[in-house]
Structure formats: C-alpha cells, structure tokens
Amino acid sequence: MTNRTSLQKNLGIGLTLGVILLWLLGVIASGLVAQHEMNEVFDSALEETAQRILPLAVTDILNRETGTGNQRAPAMKDHDEYLTYLVRDDQGNLLLQSHDADPRVFGTLPGEGFSNTSTHRIYGASAVSDTIYIEVAEPLAHRREAALEAGLALLMPLIFLIPVSLLGVWWMVRLSLRKVVEFQQSIESRGAGDLSPVAGDRLPKEFEPIAVAVNRLLERLHRALEAERSFTANSAHELRTPLATALAKVQRLKTQVQSDQLKNNVAEIEEALRSLSMLSGKLLELAKAEGGGAISQSRHNLVPILAMIVADFEGQVPGRIILNLPESEVNSFLDPDAFAILVRNLIENALRHGSHKQPVEVSMVNDGTLRVCNGGNIVPPEQLALLRNRFARSKTDAAGSGLGLAIADAIATGAGLTLHLRSPATGRQDGFEAELNVAGAR
Ligand SMILES: Nc1ncnc2c1ncn2[C@@H]1O[C@H](COP(=O)(O)OP(=O)(O)OP(=O)(O)O)[C@@H](O)[C@H]1O
Ligand SMILES: [Mg+2]
C-alpha cells in the first residue's frame, strides 16, 4: 500500500472543509445576533401594541352601562389573530378580550412587563392606578420560525460554496503546480545519459531549491563521469605509442640475440607487451562505449557492416564462421562504429572461448535480431550473470582481459538495447549465445 498523497486532493479537501467550518461558525454567530435583534423588534412591537390598545380598552370599559363583565372585542372581519390580548382587573377578572384570545395562555393574575410561558411571549401594562391590566400575547413559535428561516437563508449559499470551493481550490492548485509538473516531466522524460541541467527558472519559489540541488548534483555527476572517462581514454591512448615502440624494439632484439635462453626471455617480454597493447586497446574501446555516442543522428543499414567484419575474421580463421544475413536492410540508430566494436567483441569471444572444433554461427534476421552462437562448455548461471562486469572472466584457458562483454554491454545499454547472454545456446545442449535486437536502438 502506498501512503503517498496528492497535494491537489489534500489542499482541495482541507481548504473546502475549512471554508465550510468557518461559514458554519459565521452562520451561527450571525443567526444569534439576528435572533437577538429580532426579539428586540418583536418585543418593541408587543409593547407598542399594548400601549396603544390600553387607553381604548379603558375608555370602553369605563363607558359601559352594564358595569363590569367580560366582553369580547368584535372582529371587524373574519381573520386569524397573531397577537391576542386580555384586559383584566387586578383580581384577574376578565373585562375585555380579543376575539381569538385564549385565557389559559395567560397567568391567573395579571402582571406588568415582559414574561415568557412555554408557548407565548407576554407583555403586560396597567392603567387607572393599577386596577386595569392589559396583557398582549404573541406565540413564540412565530419567532422561532423567523429565526429558523433566517438561519436557513444563511445556510443556503453553502450548497454553492462547497462545489465552487472544491473546484476553485483544485483549479488554483493545478495552476500553481503546472510548472512543477512540467519540471517533473522534463526530468522523467530525459534519457539516462542526459546530464544537462534541468530548467528550473520558472518554478515557484518554494520549489526552486530542488532544481538548484538537482542541477548541482547533475553537474558533479557529469564532472565525475567525465574525469573517469577521460582518464581511461587518455591513459589508453598514452600507452599505445610507447607500447608499440617497445614491441618493435623487442622484436628487433629477438633477431639479434644468439642464446636460446635469452631468446625465450625476450619472447616472453614480447608476449607481455602484446597483451598490454591489447588491454590498452580494450580500455580505449570501453572508454568510448561508456562515453555515449552509441546512438547516431540518422539510421544506417548495419547488414554490410556485419558482412565486412565477418569477412575480416574469415581472413584470420578461414571456414570457422557460418554467416546468415537477412535479405532486406536492417536500419538502426545504433552508431556504425559502436556496432562494429560490439560485433567484433562478440565474434572474438566465440572464436576464442568456444569449442575450436565447432563453427561459430553469426546471424542477423530481418527484424534486426543479431545472434552470435558457438559450441563448447556451458558457463554456469552464477558466472554468466557476472560476465558483463569489467575484468570478469569465467574459467577459460584463452587469454583475455575480461573487458569484451563489458564493452558490448555498455554499447547496448547506451543505445537503449538489451544484450542477452545464454548458456547453453538456444536449441543446443552446450555452447554460448549472445543476442540483441539492433532495431530498437534509440
Ligand atoms: N562465446 C563465449 N563462449 C564461452 N565463454 C565466453 C564467451 N564469451 C565470453 N565468455 C566468457 O566470458 C568471459 C568474459 O568475456 P569478455 O569478452 O568480457 O572477456 P575476455 O574475452 O576474457 O577478454 P577480452 O575480451 O577483454 O579480451 C570470458 O573470459 C569467457 O570466460
Ligand atoms: Mg572477449
């Protein structure tokens, strides 16, 4: 399971939740303030109504001919009452009531000022030396409904706010990370051999240090590789001339000395110089192979090159190589020089390490698959796996430095190809086979 997270997703969800939470807190706060203000307005209206009705009620009651007793204020038109009122004397006897008023809502004795019952808000006022009281009642449900509607109205924008915030954050993050994604893709898409600096100048400020660090690392790597390559190349090159001179001198010396003992010694020196010269040649090839340049700018037909190399070997070991060439051209981006070095090393190995009694098969087919195959003892798998390492050799009597397969592998890898080594060879009980498809070079 991976615990890698997406910055875009995290920021989108986190910021949206934050906005929702803040909005809810805002809704609660403004709801409470609105409710408080509404209560004040409602209370003031309640008080105003009581003060307005009271003088009218008192005049009405005092002018009655029948004296005291309850009377219901007639309704001008049929309607539902929102505010109801009772007019009572200080003993609680009803004198007047609005036509919808329910006396059970009010207390048994009238009082002054604001009070609450479970269902109503009541305001009481008195007149005529506290002998006549008016009480106006307003249902609390009405206030609750008003507060609820105000709260819902404040919550409504959340329906739009959530998707808009999610989309907005997603878009903003995507926009801000665009350069970072481009940076990541440019690093991802470059080949393994490309050590040129990455372009980080358009990155957001926070990411700039990454580009700087990557470039510094690439530069150090480039310098280290360059130093290693030029050292190998230079030393191999510098060795060549003095070696050739020494070899020539030793050969001349061999003709001049008379004693057989001395002749043998000189021959040994000549042999040592020869293998030293071969080693320097291989080191030069390895330096070239590892220095890149296995890819050429255009495609080349590799079939004639293969034919030429085999013809070269034919001169040295007549009749040992069986060559099979494709009918059509095999065009590849693999550099012709690099291809020649690679093929030479593979054929040289087959001739040198394979059974001398069996032929070496070199074949190329139309799809670009090259096979070099020889008979001989099987190379054990654990040794086979190590043969591409520099200076790695399996048990063999033949001379060599152990660089041939390292060179071949470096060229193949540099061209994006895979060199397959198999022992026993495909379709045989013994032998060794090297195979690669040159068509895939890029
Ligand atoms: N065609 C082959 N058949 C059998 N063994 C092989 C073959 N090719 C390579 N090997 C084994 O792999 C080892 C490494 O090969 P490689 O070409 O790297 O070095 P080398 O041939 O010994 O020396 P160099 O090529 O540097 O002169 C050889 O020593 C040999 O044991
Ligand atoms: Mg070799």
Side-chain angles (χ1 to χ4, degrees), residues 138-333:
E138 180 201 356
L140 282 176
H142 181 253
R143 293 188 179 202
R144 282 198 209 105
E145 190 187 333
L148 197 71
E149 271 171 20
L152 279 179
L154 285 169
L155 278 176
M156 279 300 264
L158 265 187
I159 296 170
F160 301 99
L161 200 71
I162 293 172
V164 165
S165 157
L166 264 177
L167 263 175
V169 171
W170 179 81
W171 184 73
M172 265 316 285
V173 172
R174 195 182 159 85
L175 199 72
S176 330
L177 285 183
R178 210 183 54 214
K179 293 286 163 226
V180 182
V181 173
E182 276 172 20
F183 176 70
Q184 169 220 328
Q185 283 167 350
S186 85
I187 292 185
E188 238 170 30
S189 62
R190 55 174 47 212
D194 184 1
L195 295 179
S196 60
V198 292
D201 46 339
R202 288 167 68 202
L203 277 179
K205 231 168 52 194
E206 291 82 353
F207 289 89
E208 220 179 285
I210 299 179
V212 173
V214 167
N215 279 340
R216 217 179 288 145
L217 204 67
L218 278 176
E219 202 197 315
R220 279 182 60 190
L221 193 64
H222 182 69
R223 257 189 282 138
L225 283 177
E226 203 50 48
E228 191 193 337
R229 265 176 221 151
S230 67
F231 176 76
T232 331
N234 287 343
S235 24
H237 201 74
E238 293 300 319
L239 273 173
R240 248 189 193 172
T241 330
L243 272 177
T245 321
L247 201 61
K249 283 188 176 159
V250 164
Q251 276 165 351
R252 198 169 339 125
L253 187 67
K254 209 165 68 175
T255 59
Q256 290 166 356
V257 294
Q258 305 300 326
S259 131
D260 278 353
Q261 171 68 27
L262 217 54
K263 235 184 188 131
N264 278 349
N265 287 351
V266 173
E268 272 170 26
I269 297 176
E270 187 192 350
E271 190 47 44
L273 282 175
R274 225 182 267 284
S275 71
L276 210 58
S277 160
M278 290 241 298
L279 177 63
S280 77
K282 292 265 171 184
L283 279 176
L284 198 62
E285 281 182 358
L286 183 63
K288 270 192 203 149
E290 289 187 338
I295 292 283
S296 73
Q297 301 290 330
S298 55
R299 286 147 78 94
H300 295 270
N301 180 15
L302 299 180
V303 179
I305 301 172
L306 180 62
M308 206 170 68
I309 296 167
V310 172
D312 254 11
F313 277 104
E314 212 30 64
Q316 300 163 27
V317 279
R320 265 205 72 195
I321 301 179
I322 299 175
L323 175 65
N324 279 306
L325 289 178
E327 287 123 35
S328 64
E329 293 188 352
V330 172
N331 289 307
S332 166
F333 279 110

